[in-house]
């Protein structure tokens, strides 16, 4: 069912457009294999897309064939964690179902019971779609009350400055995010993802080992600044008991182990990472700048997705970074996002890199 946002109030249009959409559970299938459905890998490093129309003779897969089925949801979560981001071209889904999907992927992946869905610190308590859905637009930050001032051509932020992982400023940050763009421009507004696994693998062994010994401080400074400027209080109890307070600051390992795959990934991002704690400021600034450029400048880490009607992206923030494309001028682009809260980041010295794991698997099956 198409969702068109012609209304002056995009929230009203979203509610009207999905009013009759509900989860339709399907029978449990213990032999379910996602890769038996028509799909392709966006790049070698990251991204898998399930087609709306088959081009390879395989059946197509809709998100509605997965919702409500624990076996299929668990398989999807594993694939998302392995590939970083998964796209569905056929995804009629309500914002409420986006919330359930993000929560269930994390729960079935083994996240702690106290981790639920994230409430963004700037989400207004009167938000019409609820605390756990955020509105995504290039014209404002989460809500039209917090308008952006950098939408004009001469003021656009550099694309390299936009790379981030969701809410790494929280002590217990995100696992899975679901996003659907519901007001579509005729062209533009693509989203890019970059693999943290591949970013790690592309580093020299000596630098990998050094980074494994380090931690970094992440701060949501932009949201703190908005709160101070507008007088809007920051929300508390943001999806985990530890995600409270106004500092929006946390310390995480520079190299993180994904608990679903057991693979190592780089875990710093320009949006929120401010300091490597074991180094002096000069050393920290230089090393972080190298790592940020490493993520943004290496196209072989990345996949780019052009949004169409009823498309859905699901990604694992523990192992990918993402960035929107600011090329819309006065066009509208509005989406709904739900973010799951996972576990406290950790580094397991026994974990391996993605390429090492894939090579070991290939050798074992030979």
């Amino acid at each position: 069912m198409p969702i068109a946002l012609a209304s002056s109030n995009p929230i009203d249009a979203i509610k009207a457009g999905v009013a009759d959409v509900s989860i339709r559970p399907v029978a449990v299938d213990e032999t379910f294999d996602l890769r038996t459905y028509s799909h392709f890998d966006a790049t070698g490093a990251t991204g898998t897309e399930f087609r709306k129309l088959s081009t390879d003779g395989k059946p197509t897969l809709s998100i509605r064939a997965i919702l409500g089925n624990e076996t299929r949801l668990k398989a999807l979560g594993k694939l998302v964690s392995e590939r970083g981001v998964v796209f569905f071209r056929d995804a009629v889904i309500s914002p409420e179902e986006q919330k359930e999907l993000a929560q269930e992927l994390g729960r079935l992946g083994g996240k702690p019971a106290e981790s639920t869905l994230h409430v963004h610190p700037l989400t207004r308590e009167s938000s019409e779609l609820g605390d756990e859905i955020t509105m995504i637009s290039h014209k404002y930050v989460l809500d039209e009350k917090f308008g952006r001032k950098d939408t004009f051509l001469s003021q656009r932020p550099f694309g390299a400055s936009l790379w981030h992982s969701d809410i790494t400023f929280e002590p217990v940050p995100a696992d899975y995010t679901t996003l659907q763009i519901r007001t579509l421009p005729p062209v533009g507004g693509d989203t890019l993802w970059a693999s943290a696994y591949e970013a790690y693998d592309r580093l020299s062994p000596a630098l990998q080992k050094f980074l494994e010994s380090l931690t970094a401080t992440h701060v949501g400074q932009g949201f703190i600044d908005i709160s101070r400027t507008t007088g809007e209080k920051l929300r508390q109890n943001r999806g985990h008991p530890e995600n409270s307070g106004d500092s929006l600051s946390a310390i995480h390992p520079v190299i993180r182990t994904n608990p679903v795959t057991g693979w190592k990934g780089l875990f710093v991002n320009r949006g929120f990472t401010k300091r490597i704690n074991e180094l002096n400021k000069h050393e920290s600034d230089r090393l972080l700048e190298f790592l940020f450029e490493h993520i943004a400048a290496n196209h072989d880490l990345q996949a780019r997705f052009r949004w169409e009607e009823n498309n859905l992206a699901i990604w694992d923030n523990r192992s990918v970074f993402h960035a929107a494309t600011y090329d819309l001028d006065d066009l509208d682009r509005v989406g709904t996002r739900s973010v799951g809260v996972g576990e406290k980041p950790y580094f397991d010295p026994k974990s391996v890199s993605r390429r090492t794991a894939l090579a070991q698997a290939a050798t074992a099956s030979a």
Side-chain angles (χ1 to χ4, degrees), residues 250-289:
I251 295 175
H252 302 308
V254 170
I255 304 300
R256 179 179 187 176
T257 301
N258 187 303
V260 176
T261 62
W263 299 344
K264 302 175 185 178
L266 181 64
F267 196 63
V268 298
N269 67 88
R270 190 182 291 274
F272 300 124
T273 311
K274 305 303 180 184
R275 176 72 183 267
I276 294 180
N277 300 311
E278 292 78 11
L279 306 181
N280 66 41
K281 185 179 186 304
H282 181 73
E283 293 168 340
S284 171
D285 288 349
R286 291 297 182 92
L287 180 54
L288 282 176
E289 188 58 37

Side-chain angles (χ1 to χ4, degrees), residues 1 14 17 20-21 86 95 144 148 157 164 194 213 215 237 243 258 261 296 314 352:
M1 176 181 60
I14 289 172
D20 63 347
V21 174
V86 169
E144 290 177 291
R148 298 183 66 104
H164 67 287
S213 70
T215 65
N237 302 314
N243 292 352
N258 187 303
T261 62
I314 309 164
V352 298

Side-chain angles (χ1 to χ4, degrees), residues 184-190 306-307 327-329 331-333:
L184 289 162
V187 68
D190 297 355
R306 179 174 179 176
W307 295 94
D327 59 350
L328 295 173
D329 296 330
L331 299 172
D332 288 326
R333 175 187 184 272

Side-chain angles (χ1 to χ4, degrees), residues 155-175:
Q155 297 175 320
R156 285 180 186 167
F158 286 110
S161 70
L162 300 174
W163 288 98
H164 67 287
S165 295
D166 287 335
I167 66 165
T168 63
F169 55 82
E170 298 282 24
V172 189
D175 52 9

